[in-house]
């Protein structure tokens, strides 16, 4: 049992783990035989620098990762790329990563709807526990930039054949109007404010760890 795994909001110092993250995501997709939207080194590194990613570390060893993205003029948010290294599976780590990524998304864009496209039963279960509900694809963002991300998936032909009405993945949506506000630590809140260059009142004051 790994008792000392940290799950934190990533920053620029974690870019050294990006290639390992990409390989872990790719290897997992091959094992499952499912599709995955491909991302570049630069894409994930930028997410880290912008405080839009969460990483799990066991000392200096990579253990897990996920990131967030906004769509449709920040009206929608996705938490994506959730992956746990094979050496750290079965420890409840994916749920810890998902919870922090989800909280990060809610704090940064409190009015945005958060959605998920997934073919994994474990992710569906976590989404349900967080308050997501299954929806149709038409309930998701119509931002073409998001849907272009599906072009790297092996199942994209299904999406094309159905005119984007459905695919192998299940669509799930979280509506913030149905829930209380989320909170992050004061340190993360201050970092987000510096990155965004704002003292936006929409961001909470933060809470002690």
């Amino acid at each position: 049992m790994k008792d000392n795994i940290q799950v934190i909001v990533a920053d620029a110092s974690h870019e050294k783990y990006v290639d390992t993250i990409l390989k872990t995501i790719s290897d997992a997709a091959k094992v499952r035989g499912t599709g995955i939207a491909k991302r570049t080194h630069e894409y994930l590194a930028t997410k880290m620098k912008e405080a839009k990613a969460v990483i799990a570390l066991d000392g200096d060893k990579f253990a897990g990762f996920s990131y967030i993205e906004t769509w449709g003029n920040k009206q929608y948010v996705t938490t994506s790329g959730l992956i746990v290294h094979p050496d750290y599976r079965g420890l409840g780590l994916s749920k810890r990563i998902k919870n922090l990524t989800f909280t990060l998304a809610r704090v940064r864009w409190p009015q945005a709807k958060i959605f998920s496209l997934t073919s994994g039963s474990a992710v569906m279960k976590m989404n349900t526990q967080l308050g997501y509900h299954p929806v149709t694809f038409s309930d998701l963002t119509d931002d073409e930039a998001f849907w272009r991300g599906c072009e790297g998936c092996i199942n994209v032909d299904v999406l094309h054949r159905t005119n984007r009405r459905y695919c192998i993945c299940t669509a799930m949506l979280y509506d913030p109007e149905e829930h209380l506000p989320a909170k992050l630590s004061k340190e993360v809140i201050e970092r987000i404010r510096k990155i965004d260059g704002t003292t936006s009142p929409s961001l909470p004051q933060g809470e002690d760890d």
Side-chain angles (χ1 to χ4, degrees), residues 13-59:
S13 70
H14 299 116
E15 182 177 353
K16 61 185 178 181
Y17 296 103
V18 168
D19 290 339
T20 300
I21 293 168
L22 290 171
K23 184 178 186 304
T24 306
I25 292 173
S26 177
D27 289 348
K30 289 176 183 176
V31 170
R32 293 195 309 266
T34 58
I36 190 73
K38 295 180 180 179
R39 299 295 182 230
T40 65
H41 179 107
E42 293 73 21
Y43 182 87
L44 293 192
T46 298
K47 292 298 174 192
M48 293 176 172
K49 294 171 185 175
E50 294 179 346
K52 295 178 181 177
V54 168
I55 192 167
L57 297 172
D58 179 15

Side-chain angles (χ1 to χ4, degrees), residues 66-69 77-81 98 101-102 105 114-116 132:
S66 185
Y67 65 89
I68 57 179
E69 184 59 277
V77 179
T78 51
T79 63
S80 305
K98 177 77 173 181
T101 312
F102 179 71
I114 306 175
F115 71 94
S116 171
Y132 287 73

Side-chain angles (χ1 to χ4, degrees), residues 7-144:
V7 178
I8 57 176
V9 177
D11 59 36
S13 70
H14 299 116
E15 182 177 353
K16 61 185 178 181
Y17 296 103
V18 168
D19 290 339
T20 300
I21 293 168
L22 290 171
K23 184 178 186 304
T24 306
I25 292 173
S26 177
D27 289 348
K30 289 176 183 176
V31 170
R32 293 195 309 266
T34 58
I36 190 73
K38 295 180 180 179
R39 299 295 182 230
T40 65
H41 179 107
E42 293 73 21
Y43 182 87
L44 293 192
T46 298
K47 292 298 174 192
M48 293 176 172
K49 294 171 185 175
E50 294 179 346
K52 295 178 181 177
V54 168
I55 192 167
L57 297 172
D58 179 15
D60 61 354
K61 295 180 180 179
F62 167 70
F65 179 77
S66 185
Y67 65 89
I68 57 179
E69 184 59 277
T70 60
W71 310 98
N73 196 27
K74 300 180 181 179
Q75 294 180 328
Y76 289 87
V77 179
T78 51
T79 63
S80 305
L82 176 60
I83 190 69
V84 173
H85 191 278
D87 292 346
Y88 297 93
R89 289 173 188 163
L91 304 176
L93 189 55
S94 60
K95 186 172 183 178
R96 290 177 61 193
I97 296 169
K98 177 77 173 181
N99 286 349
L100 182 53
T101 312
F102 179 71
T103 300
L104 180 61
R106 289 191 62 202
V107 168
R108 296 200 70 171
W109 300 282
Q111 307 304 318
K113 293 181 179 180
I114 306 175
F115 71 94
S116 171
L117 279 180
T118 182
S119 59
S121 59
V123 174
M124 291 180 201
K125 182 178 180 180
M126 285 188 286
N127 284 347
T128 300
Q129 292 172 341
L130 289 170
Y132 287 73
H133 300 289
V135 295
T136 65
F137 278 28
S138 62
D139 293 312
L140 308 182
T141 180
D142 58 3
D143 191 326
E144 291 299 326

Side-chain angles (χ1 to χ4, degrees), residues 163-193:
N163 291 323
R164 220 156 67 190
R165 290 193 301 273
Y166 60 87
C167 195
I168 301 300
C169 286
T170 296
M172 302 187 77
L173 188 72
Y174 175 94
D175 189 338
E177 293 186 2
E178 301 174 358
H179 303 272
L180 295 173
K183 294 182 179 181
L184 284 172
S185 70
K186 292 178 181 178
E187 290 78 10
V188 173
I189 292 294
E190 289 306 312
R191 184 179 161 213
I192 291 171
R193 283 190 168 128

Side-chain angles (χ1 to χ4, degrees), residues 136-163:
T136 65
F137 278 28
S138 62
D139 293 312
L140 308 182
T141 180
D142 58 3
D143 191 326
E144 291 299 326
F146 168 77
W147 295 103
R148 282 197 296 272
C150 294
E151 293 299 316
C153 175
I154 60 172
N155 299 311
V156 70
D157 61 308
V158 179
L159 194 65
H160 291 165
R161 289 201 310 269
T162 64
N163 291 323

